[in-house]
Amino acid sequence: MAGIAVAAWSGLSYGALRRIGPVAAILLVGGALAWLPLPLAALAVVGSALVGLILFHPVIGLILLVPLIPFSPLVAAHVGGLQVGGMEALLALTLTAWIIRMAVRGQINLPPSPLTVPWLLWLGVVFLSWTVALSIGAALAETAKWIEMLALYLLVIATAERRHLPWLLAAFLAAGAAQAVLGLVQFVARIGPEGFLIFDGAYMRAYGTFRQPNPYAGYLGITLPLAFSLSLGGLDRLIQRRCGPVRPWLWLSAGAATLLMLAAAYASQSRGAWLGIALALVTVAAVRSRQAAAGFAGLVAVGALVLALGSARLLPPPVQQRLSDVLPVLQIPDIATAEVTDANFALIERLAHWQAALDMWRDAPWLGVGIGNYAAVYPAYAVGRWRDPLGHAHNVYLNLGAETGLLGLCAYVVFWLSVLWFTASVIRRTHGLYRAVAAGGMGVFVAFAVHNSVDNLYVQGMYLHVAVVLGLVAALASSPRLSGDPSAAGAGTERTESHN
């Protein structure tokens, strides 16, 4: 009997399956919905429709993923004692839809990418560090982030088309602006834990949906440069009275999002984010045009003047206080015995974890203690009263030195230097909106690299955010759907635009 069933199944043609499949699915879904309460049934219908759309058009999942990343803590469920996030589920669905689409078309191949070699080199060292890892589970979790990044990066290159670009950019701007508004409300209305109160309790440090101000400001830092670059493009169009295929709403939205995110970054009171954002915005301005590059020296002079004013106590008191708290802590000879106060708690804690990471690296100089294993071995290296590993060393470079040794740190630096070099080449070859996106991407990567020197932004999906930006930049250079002559899509005015 089983043999007859198998023979009958194997005899069905692909076309017959396509005809029978939808009917069977409708009957099954209809039967299931009949037993569900109305709210759950409505949610199931909407969810099923969304899943169907993503299966046919994976780029829809990509567009939805961008704003979901920062709000992922709000979209999670506990299944079997494990927390399943909406971000992870959407990413898995989108990647699955892309693979199925390639399989149906009989074209299982990966798009060409100039960054694949340094990426695989870095992953090779990561897997090599597994040989010394104390916790394979921790190593797997950290390695999975880089595999997800690579898969998402390739997905963007393979699926993003010219007509999708405004939608993707709008998703970035909307997510950044929404987080900024949420943070500003927390700042003014003092919504949050008592430990976040600042300015004698008059305001609250903004933290958005990130639970902590520093990663929140880090997210703003890797979103703001893209908005800033787009707003510069809109300003250039306004001054030179240019028009193009992209509607003014994109440039205006970018300008509004830039101002909101700048205000929210201040409200976070994150010094690492301030430094990353400042260097990122200067980089964006410098790479967009020769005129801006010539003004780079002027900006450096202004920065030096600001520092001078700070030493003369002419800066606003809140900013001056946040900056002046750093120097006394850096002069402490022994972190283990340092006197801890409310003002220096965060800085001394960070320095203690830096010291622990350096000690790990000293004991395992070539391969480290294993990717993702900083927290696992931290108890043996804890400094003074700082017994909580906090998950990372608050410095990605020291953290990677400790976990993957000199080989891993070198491979990581080579990877990001390749990213910056490649992005610079894309900026030189593009114009108009494409150039604005590439320049904004350069700012994103600079902010990410700088802020990671005092923190770890490979948390709460921010690495996926960076992967999407990486994919967009690569798509501008390697994908025929986005690269080439913009006039082919009715964007002739973009082609004649100067490098501004």
Side-chain angles (χ1 to χ4, degrees), residues 198 205-206 213-218 221 264-279 317-330 341-351 354 447 450-455:
I198 52 175
R205 290 184 69 183
N214 288 326
Y216 167 71
Y266 171 77
S268 73
Q269 292 290 292
S270 172
R271 289 164 293 212
W274 289 352
L275 179 60
I277 289 172
L279 293 178
V319 177
Q320 180 183 217
Q321 183 62 42
R322 289 293 290 170
L323 297 178
S324 63
D325 287 342
V326 177
L327 293 178
V329 174
L330 295 180
T341 65
D342 291 341
N344 66 17
F345 179 91
L347 286 171
I348 293 181
E349 183 181 43
R350 181 173 277 108
L351 289 177
W354 290 6
V450 172
H451 195 161
N452 270 330
S453 65
V454 292
D455 217 317

Side-chain angles (χ1 to χ4, degrees), residues 45-124:
V45 169
V46 173
S48 299
L50 185 59
V51 169
L53 285 173
I54 293 174
L55 287 174
F56 280 101
H57 303 285
V59 73
I60 294 177
L62 175 62
I63 294 171
L64 293 176
L65 182 64
V66 170
L68 182 60
I69 288 171
F71 291 96
S72 56
L74 307 180
V75 189
H78 291 275
V79 180
L82 297 176
Q83 183 174 356
V84 179
M87 177 185 70
E88 291 81 2
L90 180 58
L91 175 62
L93 174 62
T94 304
L95 291 174
T96 301
W98 175 43
I99 294 171
I100 292 175
R101 188 179 183 185
M102 288 192 296
V104 169
R105 294 179 174 181
Q107 299 175 344
I108 305 294
N109 51 24
L110 298 178
S113 165
L115 297 175
T116 301
V117 172
W119 209 316
L120 292 178
L121 174 65
W122 158 241
L123 278 175

Side-chain angles (χ1 to χ4, degrees), residues 220-312:
L220 296 177
I222 59 175
T223 308
L224 209 160
L226 191 57
F228 178 64
S229 184
L230 291 172
S231 62
L232 286 183
L235 182 63
D236 177 65
R237 286 170 176 268
L238 179 64
I239 292 174
Q240 302 189 30
R241 297 182 180 179
R242 287 181 178 154
C243 58
V246 182
R247 297 177 182 178
W249 66 262
L250 182 59
W251 311 113
L252 294 175
S253 300
T258 298
L259 295 176
L260 284 171
M261 285 188 279
L262 281 172
Y266 171 77
S268 73
Q269 292 290 292
S270 172
R271 289 164 293 212
W274 289 352
L275 179 60
I277 289 172
L279 293 178
L281 298 188
V282 168
T283 300
V284 170
V287 301
R288 281 190 59 83
S289 69
R290 295 185 180 89
Q291 294 85 352
F296 180 78
L299 289 172
V300 172
V302 170
L305 178 61
V306 167
L307 291 177
L309 290 175
S311 62

Side-chain angles (χ1 to χ4, degrees), residues 429-450:
R429 301 199 306 265
T430 50
H431 306 272
L433 177 62
Y434 298 170
R435 187 181 182 87
V437 173
M442 177 70 86
V444 169
F445 307 144
V446 168
F448 191 67
V450 172

Side-chain angles (χ1 to χ4, degrees), residues 348-399:
I348 293 181
E349 183 181 43
R350 181 173 277 108
L351 289 177
H353 282 80
W354 290 6
Q355 183 61 53
L358 286 170
D359 291 342
M360 292 181 200
W361 193 0
R362 178 200 61 207
D363 290 346
W366 295 107
L367 288 178
V369 298
I371 188 72
N373 273 246
Y374 173 86
V377 302
Y378 180 80
Y381 293 91
V383 177
R385 58 181 287 184
W386 311 103
R387 297 296 171 181
D388 185 358
L390 300 179
H392 55 80
H394 284 282
N395 181 311
V396 163
Y397 307 99
L398 290 178
N399 202 103

